[in-house]
DNA sequence: TTGAAAGCGATACCAC
DNA sequence: GTGGTATCGCTTTCAA
């Protein structure tokens, strides 16, 4: 077909009608006689007519595009959410643009600016973090934040997330129940600190020594503030152990981090599940692969995606901009890393 | 800022110049006096002017958008390539739209149609498969296929891939060297069959029995033709074993498949690395996690992405449409699953 | 039921 | 250097 270049105008000329009529036929609008309707449909089919979205968008002042902004699509957790989002929005006539920020503020802002210029109808943030002062950047565009950290507790926008503090608390509780007394919390995302600090010992002052934040018995290991990597995590935990710190329980905020910890422990001949227990967060595919398998907290990725998508769609359809927090429940999946090795 | 709604026309009015001049300033074109240039720049900054891409696209007949079509972004292999692609194209002023097909032909065609309507400048296929007859769908739009299977050996388009037949051959050879004599090839993607058949025994007729294709000593297990899942693969291999077939080596086309096989073997008390050896393809993060760790073939995701992106960009810039095949070299990373367990 | 024409926002040609 | 204006493809009001 000669798909390109044939416009509504060509169809109109060939069919001997006006562009208005063609437009009406193509959009099932207005009253058109069955006869002309059939003729127009037939001709546009034959000519391989392809509607031009740029023109439509320009005219309608909306693009039916959604921007998805994430630190790194190759992160399994984020891409699972992205898949949910894309599937949902495609089903509703929207197309999704994707941008990776590598957790860099400049790339984040660039992405927002770019998508704003492209007049996306809505913005979806998946993972990553923002200072609240950044929020006015995407002025006017409806947006939803999924698994995104802010430096304030009540950002003026719509947030969909699990209750991070509760997850850390539940993970810690499980470790205590299983007999641990020296628990480290492992994260590479600076703003998870807020959540961790609001965890079991929020009321106690935190003292800092080196890269490790000490909250009572709990130690928070904080890595470089970007993509959680297995290697980085292994290093972090290895250093902590080699420094002679006591440690019998780890809460890892992310399965990748947990795997790094696992490697560090195994490399030092420490029996994971017995001498040191691990609870991870994410419950991705990764948690079921190592030996011992990892106890991990299921965050219900499908719900994170779906609820976020629904919320955004509602804003788009009603022209509203809601704020608030949608909390997705979590669930501990206990496996060998807290139960000890199966016989 | 009042970013939305302020157009080049408003800027022109406020600055007391014509839209032509504003356009020239904003695009560094034509001759404009330093004075007006500064004034225009200043005003558009102050007014929070945001260029409208829809209008620009309509006028310029190109969108600077690229469509990425993949079976499933949540697949680590695909999303790693997607990340490369997005990073590259963002660096060149393009924005990427992403569509998932779930390996369904209807969704694939829908995605192509949709992206064509959106007038994307180029199309990138990552993974999945097509019948050659489908190719004329995206008429005129430059496209590049990465890790994509066709039902013909020389499709009239540009393909970037590893040499699948060689990878299967090398994997098989390694297994033979390590003493295996009953090798199964494990795939869920129907069209990998073509590649596998062109592997070590291409010259021998294949006989079919059940879901297992027998090529000499080699057995090809073929699953449902969609997203390779761990569970599916476990089932497939389990059934094969339970049927009493001899088996001491597995070539899995994808790390997920290998992990499924690993589970099936472990569940039956078979020592992987000793009694049965496994070579996998992908060398993703997943290969380094289980115990035994998996010998896997590195496909160089970064190269697959980069070479594909470069090829497409070249087509876009030169207005050409090349065809042919870019082969990315592969590399075996040997680990415990073929060496036996480390002491 | 149909058509003429305005206009969305930006670019670019051609005068001045 | 700068400005007037046609144009990209489509939607939509208003008349006929």
């Amino acid at each position: 077909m000669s798909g390109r270049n044939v416009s509504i105008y060509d169809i109109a000329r060939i069919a001997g009608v006006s562009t208005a009529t063609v437009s009406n036929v193509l959009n099932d609008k207005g009253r058109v006689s069955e006869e002309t309707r059939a003729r127009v449909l037939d001709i546009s089919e034959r000519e391989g007519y392809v509607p031009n979205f740029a023109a439509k968008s320009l005219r309608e002042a909306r693009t039916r595009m959604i921007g998805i902004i994430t630190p790194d699509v190759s992160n399994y957790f984020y891409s699972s959410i992205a898949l949910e989002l894309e599937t949902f929005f495609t089903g509703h006539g929207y197309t999704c643009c994707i941008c990776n920020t590598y957790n860099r503020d400049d790339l984040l802002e660039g992405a927002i600016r770019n998508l704003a210029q492209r007049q996306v109808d809505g913005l979806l943030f998946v993972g990553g973090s923002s200072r609240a002062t950044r929020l006015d950047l995407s002025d006017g565009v409806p947006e939803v934040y999924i698994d995104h950290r802010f430096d304030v507790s009540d950002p003026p926008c719509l947030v969909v997330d699990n209750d991070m503090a509760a997850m850390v608390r539940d993970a810690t509780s499980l470790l205590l129940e299983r007999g641990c007394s020296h628990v480290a919390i492992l994260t590479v995302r600076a703003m998870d600190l807020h959540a961790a600090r609001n965890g079991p010992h929020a009321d106690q002052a935190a003292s800092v020594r080196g890269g490790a934040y000490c909250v009572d018995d709990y130690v928070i290991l904080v890595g470089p503030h970007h993509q959680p990597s297995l290697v980085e995590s292994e290093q972090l935990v290895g250093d902590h152990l080699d420094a002679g710190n006591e440690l019998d329980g780890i809460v890892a905020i992310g399965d990748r981090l947990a795997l790094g910890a696992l490697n560090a422990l195994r490399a030092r001949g420490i029996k994971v599940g017995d001498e040191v227990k691990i609870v991870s967060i994410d419950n991705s595919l990764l948690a079921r692969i190592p030996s011992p398998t990892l106890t991990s907290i299921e965050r219900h990725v499908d719900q994170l995606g779906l609820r976020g998508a629904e919320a955004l769609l509602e804003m788009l359809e009603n022209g509203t901009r809601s704020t608030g927090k949608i909390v997705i429940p979590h669930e501990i999946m206990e496996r060998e890393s807290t139960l000890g090795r199966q016989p």
Side-chain angles (χ1 to χ4, degrees), chain A:
Chain A
M1 335 260 151
S2 50
R4 323 235 96 196
N5 316 338
V6 14
S7 80
I8 208 178
Y9 199 83
D10 300 312
I11 306 297
R13 191 173 32 70
I14 298 175
V17 297
S18 76
T19 61
T21 303
V22 176
S23 177
N24 279 335
V25 170
L26 263 25
N27 297 291
D28 275 317
K29 279 184 186 163
R31 270 142 290 281
V32 183
S33 76
E34 205 38 66
E35 189 209 328
T36 31
R37 144 170 271 97
R39 186 151 39 95
V40 167
L41 248 26
D42 185 53
I43 292 176
S44 49
E45 165 79 11
R46 236 185 22 237
E47 296 295 318
Y49 168 73
V50 175
N52 183 320
F53 255 79
K56 193 192 271 266
S57 297
L58 177 57
R59 183 59 229 237
E60 296 186 327
R62 68 141 170 212
T63 54
R64 290 195 169 278
M65 293 200 310
I66 301 292
I68 298 179
I69 299 180
T70 185
D72 175 7
V73 248
S74 78
N75 179 308
Y76 184 68
F77 190 72
Y78 300 149
S79 61
S80 300
I81 296 178
L83 175 65
E84 293 287 334
L85 297 175
E86 194 275 332
T87 303
F88 179 91
F89 277 107
T90 293
H92 288 269
Y94 289 82
T95 300
C96 294
C97 293
I98 195 138
C99 297
N100 295 284
T101 67
Y102 292 85
N103 275 325
R104 278 175 45 186
D105 284 349
D106 56 335
L107 293 182
L108 173 64
E109 291 179 13
I112 295 174
R113 231 183 293 276
N114 173 27
L115 292 171
Q117 292 188 179
R118 301 207 102 102
Q119 319 280 130
V120 295
D121 293 343
L123 234 32
L124 240 5
F125 294 81
V126 179
S129 57
S130 294
R131 280 183 294 282
T133 52
R134 200 233 74 220
L135 278 172
D136 42 343
L137 243 181
S138 38
D139 80 325
V141 187
E143 44 190 18
V144 168
Y145 292 82
I146 302 176
D147 181 35
H148 191 94
R149 298 287 160 274
F150 290 94
D151 59 348
V152 295
S153 43
D154 277 305
C157 50
L158 186 62
V159 172
V160 179
D161 207 344
N162 307 94
D163 183 338
M164 178 61 82
M167 289 195 293
V168 172
R169 189 169 55 237
D170 290 352
T172 311
S173 300
L174 180 64
L175 289 173
L176 297 181
E177 271 176 42
R178 295 281 174 273
C180 300
S181 54
H182 295 278
V183 174
I185 294 166
L186 184 56
T187 176
V188 294
R189 190 158 57 170
M191 290 186 191
D192 280 333
L193 267 179
H194 284 274
R197 284 226 181 92
N198 290 324
H201 289 258
D203 51 337
Q204 312 196 12
S207 64
V208 181
R209 52 167 197 228
Y213 295 71
C214 250
V215 188
D216 191 85
D217 286 313
Y218 306 83
V219 181
I220 301 177
L221 301 172
V222 186
H225 310 156
H226 53 77
Q227 166 72 353
S229 102
L230 208 147
V231 175
E232 231 160 44
S233 156
E234 180 169 353
Q235 185 73 39
L236 210 55
V237 174
D239 290 349
H240 187 71
L241 291 169
D242 295 343
N245 293 297
E246 274 197 274
L247 181 66
D248 59 7
I250 295 178
V251 175
I253 301 186
D255 285 338
R256 286 197 189 190
L257 294 184
L259 291 174
L262 186 59
N263 284 346
L265 292 164
R266 282 202 289 213
R268 286 161 182 77
I270 298 172
K271 286 218 172 58
V272 177
D274 299 322
E275 298 169 65
V276 174
K277 300 188 194 303
I278 300 179
V279 176
S280 171
I281 291 180
D282 274 5
N283 193 37
S284 70
L285 180 57
L286 300 179
R288 275 163 289 162
I289 297 173
S291 167
T293 51
L294 294 174
T295 294
S296 192
I297 298 185
E298 168 64 48
R299 300 179 60 180
H300 296 295
V301 171
D302 52 339
Q303 283 301 304
L304 284 169
L306 183 61
R307 297 296 301 279
E310 286 174 344
L312 184 59
L313 184 65
E314 198 196 309
M315 291 193 211
L316 299 182
E317 290 185 340
N318 304 340
T320 59
R321 294 205 57 180
S322 37
T323 63
K325 186 159 186 173
I326 298 178
V327 177
I328 307 296
H330 60 271
E331 190 180 350
I332 294 194
M333 313 297 284
E334 189 157 25
R335 301 201 184 83
E336 296 165 354
S337 68
T338 50
L339 289 174
R341 198 60 172 281
Q342 311 290 10

